[in-house]
Amino acid sequence: MSNEVRTRIAPSPTGFLHLGTARTAIFSWAFARHHGGTFVLRIEDTDVARSTPEAVAAIVDGLAWLGLDADEGPFFQMQRLDRYRTVVDGMLATGSAYRCYCTPDELEAMREAQRARGEKPHYDRRWRPAPGKALPPIPDGVPPVIRFANPLDGAVTWDDLVKGPITIANHEIDDLIIVRPDGVPTYNFCVVVDDWDMRITHVFRGDEHVNNTPWQINIFAALAAPLPRFGHVPVILGDDGQKLSKRRGAVSVLAYRDDGYLPEAMVNYLARLGWSHGDAELFSREQLVQWFDTAHLVKSAAHWDPKKLAWVNNHYLKAADDARLATLLQPMIEARGGTAEPAHLAAVIGLMKDRCDTLAELADAAMLFYRAVVVDAALRAENVPAAIVPALDDFAVRAATSAWTRADVAALLKAVLATHGLKMPQIAVPLRVLVAGRKETPSVDATLALFGRERVVQAIRDGLEALRA
Ligand code: GLU
């Protein structure tokens, strides 16, 4: 038998790609890549009423954006119904599954009576065949469910990759419904058939599934299927200590893309949220794959920290190629009503990205160059003293015929300062106000260079004229 590592991510397409699912996908992907194994994408769409094609697209797009390329899939459970039916038929034949004709009312009455006797509500196995047991007569017009005949004695034990050994007594576990009255099989059953058929060796998933695992392990055993290892990853909590949810801010991966986070920052931040490698906070995708292990998956809940995410994103913005960022920023500039030439935008990004945490912030900052500047008259009057006007005039005259790289602008500024016996701040602030409409910008030579010669000359002339008027 091959010892190839095979992992999967198996989201239900009922909304968007949740941050928690993305983190589990990162772990599954990194584990597979670390071991030279295979990463599978499976869409668990048997909840037909809640599954949508838009949600499938959001999952596929989100994983692609994060660079979590699947080697196999997407597989869709609703396309595997024949296979599930075959397995169920086999289980009915061997007695590890049986039909149950209880109506919802009957089940409710059963639970009511159990509660009245002080018992924990459970299914009393009235339709479970047993030697010498007479089953109730089959009622007319009640479509049956199919239940798994869970072992009655003993216990289920597994050594969780995250939580360590877990044991659940079988008498705690009900006979699970594996096929609904409409004939569609349920999650806990399909997941086992799929993990079996897809030869999954390691299952990583959120720890809300811990309670499902004993059923699944028992079904694996009933099918004589090889058991994967399970690792249940703790929840992500929001700032307020509550489970991260839609109501508590963005939980959709693509919302972070749209807000201008870089995929490499998200992968780094999410991986670190629940796993560690020494005290490394910043690591590349390659390092993640090289270092990833289950020994350092964190057992306790993770806390979502927007400030740290912003810090990580700022790191990756600074490291990113400006031409690539320009491609990402282009539509955001257009959405803000600007038009930018790619090389110009890349230069603007180079100048401004250090101070920005997200692409959205960077787009806002870059708009300085892509919208008409309106200079506030009071700001102008306050910051352009009469004593500087001759130097500004001179600057405009010389600028009109000067070359216009950042170095050219710097040389021109130096020459004008020397002629007029001024210091840099005396001319830099008036120039910023006249050209950019504000007192603070990145370095004045670079800023003027990016505004372009004609715009700068015109702005100085208009500004001085307005002052004289
Ligand atoms: N479809 C399940 C979910 O979205 C995944 C369960 C699993 O990974 O086994 O929560």
Side-chain angles (χ1 to χ4, degrees), residues 303-327:
H303 288 264
W304 188 255
D305 180 352
K307 285 205 191 77
K308 183 171 169 192
L309 174 60
W311 173 77
V312 173
N313 202 52
N314 173 266
H315 165 82
Y316 284 100
L317 278 179
K318 285 194 278 204
D321 176 60
D322 293 339
R324 169 188 165 215
L325 295 181
T327 311

Side-chain angles (χ1 to χ4, degrees), residues 36 52 119 124 172 196 201 236 257 305 316 324 361 392 407:
T52 65
E119 288 171 20
D124 66 7
E172 302 270 352
W196 177 27
T201 57
I236 304 175
R257 177 193 66 186
D305 180 352
Y316 284 100
R324 169 188 165 215
E361 273 179 52
L392 291 168

Side-chain angles (χ1 to χ4, degrees), residues 8-14 21 24 42-45 59 77 187-188 191-192 195 203-206 208-209 212-213 216 230 232:
R8 55 31 167 216
I9 186 73
S12 306
T14 54
T21 309
T24 308
R42 180 168 80 225
I43 305 289
E44 303 206 323
D45 54 354
I59 290 165
Q77 289 187 324
Y187 157 71
N188 274 301
V191 81
V192 172
D195 285 338
V203 170
F204 295 93
R205 60 185 169 207
E208 68 274 20
H209 288 291
N212 290 323
T213 304
Q216 295 180 17
F230 294 93
H232 290 92

Side-chain angles (χ1 to χ4, degrees), residues 2 16 49 88 119 121 139 148-149 185 188 223 232 250 258 263 269 288 310 321 326 338 347 363 379 393 405 415 449:
S2 126
F16 34 78
V88 170
E119 288 171 20
F148 172 59
N188 274 301
L223 296 172
H232 290 92
D258 299 343
Y269 177 77
L288 170 62
D321 176 60
L379 185 76
D393 249 331
T405 65

